[in-house]
Amino acid sequence: MTLLNYWHYIVLALIFLMSLGGILSVLLKQENKKIAYSMVFSIVLVGMFLAVFSIIVVDKYTKKVELSKLHNKRLLGTEEISYSGIVSNIGKFPIGKVTFEIKLVNKGHVSGNVKAGSFYKPSGFFDFFSGGFGISSKPQTITKKFTVAKNLKPGTAKAFRVYFPYPPYFRNTAEFAKVYGH
């Protein structure tokens, strides 16, 4: 669940008042009822769009989270990789949910060094027709998202550790990590 702060309520109240004013002016000034109903529907639709968009924008500028002390460790016995770190709420408002996103990219994509042997390309008769009948290929980019904290108060931090399967065919992996609050 998203935590709303007073900025959310102020923006939503302004949007509601503008929509209400538009609806009242249409109902008082428009004599044709068919046109009036379509105009009211349009005003409500635009108001709902603005409300959703404003929640996203206010979240972006009021919910600030920072990632620190990120470490990874590859567990060869279970073919997994673990990431651990600390997320901190550096803003002035509580954050309902903190999401950690990690993106792993196999060699060749990041450095611009794309050679013929850098990528695995499945080939064969079944891949030519209908995508190989459900036989999976080996992706070169993996993105995982994890919820690492809930209800993080301003000025507090929380340690986390996540695990996920590591592809054994990855070599010289580049990693891109980010966190964001909802």
Side-chain angles (χ1 to χ4, degrees), residues 17 24 31 43 58 64 81 98 102 161 176:
L17 290 175
L24 288 176
E31 296 170 2
I43 291 171
V58 171
K64 298 178 182 178
I81 190 165
V98 177
I102 185 75
R161 175 170 283 139
F176 304 97

Side-chain angles (χ1 to χ4, degrees), residues 44-102:
V44 169
L45 195 64
V46 169
M48 289 173 48
F49 173 75
L50 285 175
V52 170
F53 184 70
S54 69
I55 288 175
I56 294 169
V57 170
V58 171
D59 273 352
K60 181 178 180 181
Y61 289 106
T62 61
K63 297 182 179 182
K64 298 178 182 178
V65 66
E66 182 179 68
L67 176 65
S68 61
K69 297 183 182 180
L70 182 66
H71 299 288
N72 66 355
K73 184 176 182 182
R74 190 167 171 194
L75 308 170
L76 297 175
T78 58
E79 293 185 6
E80 288 183 325
I81 190 165
S82 73
Y83 281 90
S84 61
I86 298 173
V87 291
S88 305
N89 183 351
I90 59 173
K92 297 179 182 178
F93 302 100
I95 299 174
K97 183 170 73 168
V98 177
T99 302
F100 170 67
E101 179 179 317
I102 185 75

Side-chain angles (χ1 to χ4, degrees), residues 25-44:
S25 67
V26 165
L27 293 177
L28 293 176
K29 293 185 179 187
Q30 185 56 255
E31 296 170 2
N32 188 348
K33 294 297 181 188
K34 287 185 179 182
I35 295 174
Y37 291 138
S38 64
M39 290 176 76
V40 167
F41 177 74
S42 297
I43 291 171
V44 169

